[in-house]
Amino acid sequence: MDQQELITKLLDKEFIMFHAVNGDGEKADCQNDRQTFDMMRRAQFSAWSMEACDSYYQDILEAERTGRNLCAEKYIHMMKNTAILQYERLKDQLVFPDDRGMELVDLINGEMIRQTEILFQRYPYVSGAGRPLFSSQDLGGTTSIETYQRGELMTYSTRTLELLYRHLCSLKEKGISLAEKILEGSVCSYGYASLDEAEEETKKRAEAMGIQISYGCSRCEQPPEEN
């Protein structure tokens, strides 16, 4: 099985978890949009190493066996910055990383934010069209990239975090930005040939409409309902 086949299997299971967030309550628009979900998540995992993808797939299989929903847990972790009272009520549902896992969460998130900050400067219309960058900007119901990313990392096993960090460092040694690879994969899934082309076209549309263009779904910023 090659990496793309593995990612397809991974996404099939991850989307079930994503769609189950909020239980039988009202779904966000994005929870019914499998196509966009697949495009964005495939862009992320295609930029990972095969080993990291396989490890995260094993995380999902283990979560299935133990009745965990990793997507729901991600949003609860995010609430620590965005909805502290709800976080306090729901945090007992979480499985936290061990000490090494927490260290890796900080290392990966810190490096990815540094890389993404460069992208905000180079491609402000593409990379800055959706979420703000820093957790200090978690205001008005908008969740930053830093908070969102940390929430997801907190759901990975230490094994997956180790492999992802190793991949991140290996790319960095070669002068390659993992954050840029993911963003490039995202815009190419929308039909652009490159980040430069996506930036130019997004800027034109933004200026013509007088608004920023976002690929996101505003309802995704809302925390999941309590069960």
Side-chain angles (χ1 to χ4, degrees), residues 11 33-46 182 185-191 215:
L11 294 179
D33 186 354
R34 176 65 190 265
Q35 182 179 8
T36 300
F37 175 88
D38 278 7
M39 288 164 60
M40 296 297 97
R41 299 300 281 173
R42 187 175 292 276
Q44 174 175 318
F45 297 126
S46 294
I182 293 170
S186 297
V187 301
C188 286
S189 70
Y190 278 92
Y215 297 128

Side-chain angles (χ1 to χ4, degrees), residues 132-151:
L133 181 56
F134 298 109
S135 293
S136 59
Q137 298 169 293
D138 290 332
L139 301 171
T142 300
T143 304
S144 65
I145 293 172
E146 184 176 17
T147 295
Y148 190 95
Q149 186 171 260
R150 182 179 181 83

Side-chain angles (χ1 to χ4, degrees), residues 124-135:
Y125 283 88
V126 171
S127 59
R131 302 177 187 277
L133 181 56
F134 298 109
S135 293

Side-chain angles (χ1 to χ4, degrees), residues 66-188:
T66 57
R68 294 174 61 194
N69 183 327
L70 300 185
C71 290
E73 289 185 23
K74 171 173 66 176
Y75 289 110
I76 295 172
H77 280 298
M78 288 161 52
M79 288 182 203
K80 189 171 183 180
N81 272 55
T82 61
I84 188 62
L85 294 180
Q86 288 166 283
Y87 172 78
E88 290 295 329
R89 287 195 293 270
L90 296 172
K91 66 180 181 181
D92 289 344
Q93 300 178 22
L94 300 173
V95 177
F96 289 88
D98 59 21
D99 289 346
R100 175 56 177 166
M102 290 298 296
E103 179 184 11
L104 288 163
V105 166
D106 290 339
L107 288 169
I108 295 168
N109 203 31
E111 178 58 30
M112 289 295 287
I113 290 302
R114 283 189 287 274
Q115 292 183 6
T116 304
E117 188 171 15
I118 293 171
L119 294 176
F120 267 57
Q121 295 165 0
R122 290 176 57 191
Y123 304 104
Y125 283 88
V126 171
S127 59
R131 302 177 187 277
L133 181 56
F134 298 109
S135 293
S136 59
Q137 298 169 293
D138 290 332
L139 301 171
T142 300
T143 304
S144 65
I145 293 172
E146 184 176 17
T147 295
Y148 190 95
Q149 186 171 260
R150 182 179 181 83
E152 179 162 336
L153 290 168
M154 292 283 284
T155 69
Y156 298 167
S157 68
T158 299
R159 178 193 63 242
T160 297
L161 290 166
E162 290 277 13
L163 290 166
L164 182 57
Y165 185 59
R166 187 183 306 171
H167 180 59
L168 176 65
C169 292
S170 176
L171 290 177
K172 186 179 178 183
E173 288 173 1
K174 299 172 186 175
I176 300 171
S177 163
L178 177 57
E180 183 170 343
K181 282 175 67 69
I182 293 170
L183 182 61
E184 184 173 44
S186 297
V187 301
C188 286

